[in-house]
Amino acid sequence: MKSIAVLQAVVTATPFDGEPSNAELDAIETEMPLILADVDLLDAQIMTIDRTPTELDQQRIRRAQRRVLAARRDLANRAATLTVSGGAA
C-alpha cells in the first residue's frame, strides 16, 4: 500500500496557475460566435417563460435559432476545412 505522501507528489508535480492555456483561449475564440448565438437564443426564450409568446417573440426565437444553426454550420465547416487541409499537408 502506497502512502498518501507518495501519491501527492505525483498529483501536484505540475502546479496549476488557474489560467487557461493558449490552446483553450484559441478554442474559446473560435467558438465565440456560437456561444453568443446560444446566449441570444436563451435570452429570447427566457423572455417568454412566464407569458404566452407574441408573434414578435416567436420571430425573435426563430431568428435566434437560425443564428445558432448558422454558427454551428460555420464552426463545423471550419473544422472540416482544417481537417482536410491539415491532412493533405
Side-chain angles (χ1 to χ4, degrees):
M1 188 166 138
K2 294 181 181 180
S3 73
I4 196 162
V6 173
L7 295 175
Q8 181 182 6
V10 173
V11 172
T12 60
T14 56
F16 178 66
D17 63 354
E19 297 294 325
S21 68
N22 287 338
E24 291 169 332
L25 290 174
D26 289 341
I28 292 169
E29 185 68 29
T30 301
E31 294 180 6
M32 189 55 70
L34 177 58
I35 294 167
L36 294 175
D38 279 332
V39 169
D40 288 342
L41 177 58
L42 284 172
D43 286 343
Q45 291 171 335
I46 287 170
M47 287 192 306
T48 62
I49 284 178
D50 60 345
R51 61 184 168 91
T52 304
T54 64
E55 181 62 32
L56 182 63
D57 292 331
Q58 291 173 351
Q59 288 176 0
R60 186 176 293 124
I61 290 170
R62 284 192 304 267
R63 189 177 311 119
Q65 288 171 335
R66 285 192 302 266
R67 285 187 59 213
V68 168
L69 290 174
R72 285 182 185 169
R73 179 198 62 219
D74 293 344
L75 191 59
N77 287 342
R78 185 176 307 130
T81 303
L82 292 175
T83 302
V84 170
S85 65

